[in-house]
Amino acid sequence: MSDAVPVADVFDALAAAAPEIRAGFAGRAGETDDRNATGDRQLHADIHADDILRARLGGLDAVGQYASEEAEDVSDVGSGPLSISVDPLDGSSNLSANNPTGTIVGVYDAPLPAAGRDLVAAAYVLYGPLTTMVAATDDGATRYAITSDGRRDDEPAVLPDDPTVYGFGGRVPDWTAAFTDYARRVEDELKLRYSGAMVADVNQVLTYGGVFAYPGLRDRPTGKLRTQFEAIPMAYIVEAAGGASTDGTRSLLDVEPDTLHERTPIYLGNDALIDRAERIVS
Ligand code: AFP
């Protein structure tokens, strides 16, 4: 499916939600008493963003299922053919320091949990100094400016050939020996840029070329990031922009999650850097 009507509706609804989500940041950086399905403490801003997206995306005629990183289970929201996965506010802990956050959306033509190969579209919104969106279909990736009037100023999002930046998550003492070896080689060639919000860090890679990784750690081999909500949609966007992805051994689009909230190591970026990761860390 290309950017046909139902997928365009999802992108439009996300673009309409973004200013409302951003307007809700003020006063919502604090923690609630609740934790999400993966045990993270939820912020008021996480809940607020999820409420907005559940209403706007879950309310579309084309959508049958809605699943959020903030909720335990998939919700049946209608009879449409599309399923939506949402990380409502990725990097929300950055709000306290007034650093960037994002929203990640996957659109599948299969029930959730679903594989990357079931994606028909994906998009992320970056709440940086400006609000921008990168939306991808099988036809490629497009970058938009987001205003109160929706998405505009579209231009192709294409990963530059010459890599410049890298960002690796996790504490260095928690990295495996193989990943440390990979990181040392990348550090010799590229410049460190790491914000702590995956959307912002991947957006830098898409802008300048390079590699983003959150590897498996010594005491947590699957790493931190969620397969369905973060890894698969962002891999789809990076691959649509001309880049590559891996979990260490195969494209993240070939991963078939068994459960909604499982985690995976993740590497996204230029082909050569992803190939090298597979050679060194697998
Ligand atoms: P929060 O949503 O808790 O702020 O976590 C953000 C995130 O899931 C992802 O956006 C980052 O890439 C990653 O965690 C950062 O984790 P580290 O702080 O361990 O580097």
Side-chain angles (χ1 to χ4, degrees), residues 34-56:
D34 299 323
R35 293 182 185 274
N36 65 17
T38 34
D40 303 326
R41 183 71 74 181
Q42 290 176 306
L43 307 188
H44 292 283
D46 291 316
I47 305 298
H48 185 249
D50 188 33
D51 288 346
I52 293 169
L53 291 162
R54 184 175 290 272
R56 286 191 180 265

Side-chain angles (χ1 to χ4, degrees), residues 89-93 169-170 194 196-198 212 214 224-226 230:
L89 207 52
D90 178 67
S92 56
S93 62
Y194 191 73
M198 182 202 190
F212 169 85
Y214 204 111
K224 178 181 181 188
L225 302 186
R226 290 74 168 176
E230 294 169 304

Side-chain angles (χ1 to χ4, degrees), residues 4 9 12 47 72 82 84 102 153 175 189 226 241 270 275:
D9 286 353
D12 286 339
I47 305 298
E72 186 86 36
L82 301 179
I84 303 268
D153 298 343
W175 290 352
E189 298 165 19
R226 290 74 168 176
N270 287 83
D275 283 351

Side-chain angles (χ1 to χ4, degrees), residues 1-2 34 42 46 50 58 64 106 111 148 168 176 181 183 195 201 224:
M1 188 186 298
S2 64
D34 299 323
Q42 290 176 306
D46 291 316
D50 188 33
S148 52
F168 296 153
T176 63
D181 180 21
S195 74
D201 292 323
K224 178 181 181 188

Side-chain angles (χ1 to χ4, degrees), residues 149-173:
D149 296 328
R151 51 177 170 139
R152 61 175 179 78
D153 298 343
D154 56 302
E155 58 180 44
V158 179
L159 189 69
D161 288 336
D162 292 331
T164 305
V165 298
Y166 74 95
F168 296 153
R171 296 173 64 248
V172 175

Side-chain angles (χ1 to χ4, degrees), residues 163 182 244 269-277 279:
Y182 175 69
N270 287 83
D271 277 355
L273 291 158
I274 301 306
D275 283 351
R276 192 195 296 174
R279 283 198 305 277

